[in-house]
């Protein structure tokens, strides 16, 4: 791994600016992560997950996000994303140019990055750093059948430490998303042995309340309390349980129509002084936009209406939470 120069570079300043703390006296880089979590901003900065706009080109995607009132885009830079990893050097600058043309600054992206020994992963991060991105979601991890969970956690902890080192060199902050099911981190608690191997500054958790409630039901608050020092971005979406053909399953719904108690959740975030970049996901039926399809079965106006409604709900719920 090549060591990158400039201990406090343009990338560092861009990162601090994105966190809303660039106006403060220069802080030690080791305090950056903690300060981001304690940022006293009154409103959330909401980015639209660009997966849901993959039926649009970079320019139309950016224009739509601005017109709906989003603060930015959480750009998919991954397999089947808006920017494919193998074309990142050519296409990520194009996407950023289109975003900036509409006043959107590059900040968030969702990736398949984890192993720093993968040259494509390094290229994605280096390119993103050069273009001013500050935060990204990592790839998901699974537990192999041929070794114990503890052995897997020890292995992933070493990889996490190496990834954080690269992030620090590039001025980036990575976040591992807790995802329900059999992924590592589904229960939130099993992320801790991995993340605690790092300094908790340039690699942490992208906390997803929807998946936390799926797995935690009534205990998600304990998981949030435990993982909160590592939270550097959050994902917002909603769901409920329903019966189809006699079987229970998850049903994704618009914000406020499901089981996520946003009033309680936002109250806890305010109590813990957590105000980090937000990625809004819409996984209910949007004619294919929810799945990242390039062709839809509904009008784009219908998609935009739903996105705008969820954004308005999110902002109002945050404002009302105490």
């Amino acid at each position: 791994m090549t060591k990158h120069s400039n201990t406090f570079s343009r990338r560092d300043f861009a990162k601090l600016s994105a966190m809303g703390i660039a106006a403060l006296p220069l802080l030690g880089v080791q305090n950056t992560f903690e300060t981001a979590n304690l940022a006293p901003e009154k409103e959330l900065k909401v980015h639209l997950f660009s997966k849901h706009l993959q039926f649009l080109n970079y320019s139309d995607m950016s224009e739509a996000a601005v017109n709906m009132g989003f603060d930015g885009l959480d750009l998919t830079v991954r397999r089947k994303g808006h920017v494919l990893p193998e074309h990142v050097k050519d296409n990520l600058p194009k996407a950023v140019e289109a975003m900036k043309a509409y006043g959107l600054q590059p900040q968030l992206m969702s990736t398949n990055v984890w192993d720093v020994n993968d040259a494509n992963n390094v290229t994605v991060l280096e390119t993103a750093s050069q273009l001013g991105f500050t935060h990204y979601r990592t790839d998901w991890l699974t537990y192999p059948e041929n070794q114990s969970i503890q052995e897997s956690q020890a292995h992933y902890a070493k990889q996490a430490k190496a990834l954080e080192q690269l992030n620090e060199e590039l001025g980036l902050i990575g976040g591992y998303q807790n995802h329900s099911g059999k992924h590592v981190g589904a229960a939130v608690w099993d992320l801790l042995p991995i993340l605690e191997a790092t300094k908790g500054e340039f690699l942490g958790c992208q906390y997803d309340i929807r998946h936390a409630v799926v797995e935690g039901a009534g205990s998600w608050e304990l998981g949030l309390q435990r993982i909160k020092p590592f939270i550097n971005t959050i994902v917002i979406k909603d769901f409920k349980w329903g019966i189809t053909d006699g079987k229970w399953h998850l049903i994704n719904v618009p914000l406020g129509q499901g089981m996520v108690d946003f009033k309680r959740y936002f109250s806890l975030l305010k109590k813990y002084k957590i105000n980090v970049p937000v990625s809004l996901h819409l996984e209910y039926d949007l004619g294919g936009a929810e799945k990242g399809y390039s062709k839809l079965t509904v009008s784009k106006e219908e998609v935009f209406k739903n996105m705008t409604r969820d954004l308005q709900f999110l902002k109002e719920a945050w404002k009302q939470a105490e």
Side-chain angles (χ1 to χ4, degrees):
M1 189 186 309
T2 302
K3 185 73 176 179
H4 294 258
S5 59
N6 297 336
T7 56
F8 194 87
S9 65
R10 175 195 60 78
R11 296 165 192 157
D12 297 314
F13 183 80
K15 178 174 60 184
L16 294 177
S17 298
M19 293 174 182
I21 58 177
L24 297 177
L26 291 182
L27 301 168
V29 175
Q30 67 272 17
N31 295 325
T32 300
F33 185 86
E34 180 180 1
T35 307
N37 279 2
L38 300 178
E41 298 177 19
K42 294 182 179 179
E43 296 183 358
L44 293 175
K45 299 298 183 183
V46 185
H47 300 70
L48 177 61
F49 191 29
S50 85
K51 169 184 175 180
H52 308 312
L53 294 178
Q54 286 185 190
F55 60 94
L56 299 175
N57 60 35
Y58 300 146
S59 180
D60 292 342
M61 164 192 74
S62 302
E63 181 180 19
V66 168
N67 288 341
M68 286 185 283
F70 285 93
D71 298 298
L73 286 161
D74 178 1
L75 190 64
T76 51
V77 186
R78 61 184 188 178
R79 296 183 292 272
K80 298 181 180 180
H82 256 124
V83 176
L84 301 179
E86 59 269 28
H87 299 148
V88 68
K89 287 186 176 181
D90 294 326
N91 290 344
L92 191 55
K94 295 176 183 178
V96 169
E97 181 180 7
M99 290 166 60
K100 287 185 174 181
Y102 289 94
L104 299 177
Q105 297 303 312
Q107 183 176 16
L108 301 186
M109 63 177 186
S110 292
T111 74
N112 300 124
V113 169
W114 181 259
D115 186 359
V116 299
N117 293 312
D118 185 314
N120 287 332
N121 286 344
V122 175
T123 299
V124 166
L125 295 187
E126 288 179 338
T127 306
S129 174
Q130 292 164 6
L131 292 169
F133 283 88
T134 60
H135 295 69
Y136 71 94
R137 188 177 86 192
T138 70
D139 202 357
W140 293 314
L141 305 173
T142 57
Y143 290 116
E145 294 288 340
N146 62 350
Q147 62 184 19
S148 70
I149 288 179
Q150 292 89 338
E151 289 172 331
S152 296
Q153 288 175 325
H155 172 67
Y156 291 141
K158 292 180 180 178
Q159 290 184 319
K161 189 173 182 179
L163 180 57
E164 185 185 48
Q165 180 181 341
L166 178 60
N167 288 342
E168 182 174 3
E169 294 169 5
L170 295 173
L172 293 171
I173 294 177
Y176 183 95
Q177 180 194 16
N178 57 295
H179 195 290
S180 60
K182 295 183 179 180
H183 292 287
V184 172
V188 176
W189 298 85
D190 65 330
L191 264 184
L192 293 166
I194 298 172
L195 295 181
E196 287 178 341
T198 73
K199 293 182 291 185
E201 297 170 14
F202 298 92
L203 184 66
C205 174
Q206 181 174 90
Y207 186 77
D208 189 315
I209 183 60
R210 182 264 196 197
H211 288 295
V213 174
V214 169
E215 293 291 343
S219 68
W220 65 267
E221 291 186 30
L222 298 178
L224 174 63
Q225 183 178 355
R226 187 66 180 88
I227 201 71
K228 66 182 175 67
F230 292 97
I231 295 174
N232 55 39
T233 54
I234 61 174
V235 170
I236 297 295
K237 49 192 170 185
D238 206 351
F239 83 102
K240 64 181 180 180
W241 288 99
I243 298 178
T244 302
D245 297 329
K247 295 183 179 181
W248 285 96
H249 65 108
L250 296 171
I251 300 174
N252 295 304
V253 296
L255 298 188
Q257 298 183 24
M259 298 180 66
V260 175
D261 185 348
F262 285 103
K263 181 178 180 180
R264 178 60 177 165
Y265 176 47
F266 288 163
S267 294
L268 288 173
L269 291 184
K270 289 184 176 181
K271 175 183 176 181
Y272 297 146
K273 294 181 171 60
I274 295 175
N275 191 324
V276 294
V278 178
S279 180
L280 176 62
H281 292 205
L282 303 93
E283 298 189 347
Y284 51 90
D285 186 9
L286 290 176
E290 76 282 6
K291 298 181 182 297
Y293 291 168
S294 59
K295 295 187 181 301
L296 307 183
T297 59
V298 299
S299 69
K300 63 181 181 180
E301 288 75 21
E302 180 67 19
V303 174
F304 297 159
K305 182 176 74 172
N306 282 276
M307 291 175 170
T308 302
R309 179 195 59 214
D310 275 11
L311 176 61
Q312 292 173 343
F313 174 90
L314 169 56
K315 290 186 173 183
E316 187 61 27
W318 176 260
K319 183 188 301 183
Q320 294 181 1
E322 299 178 354

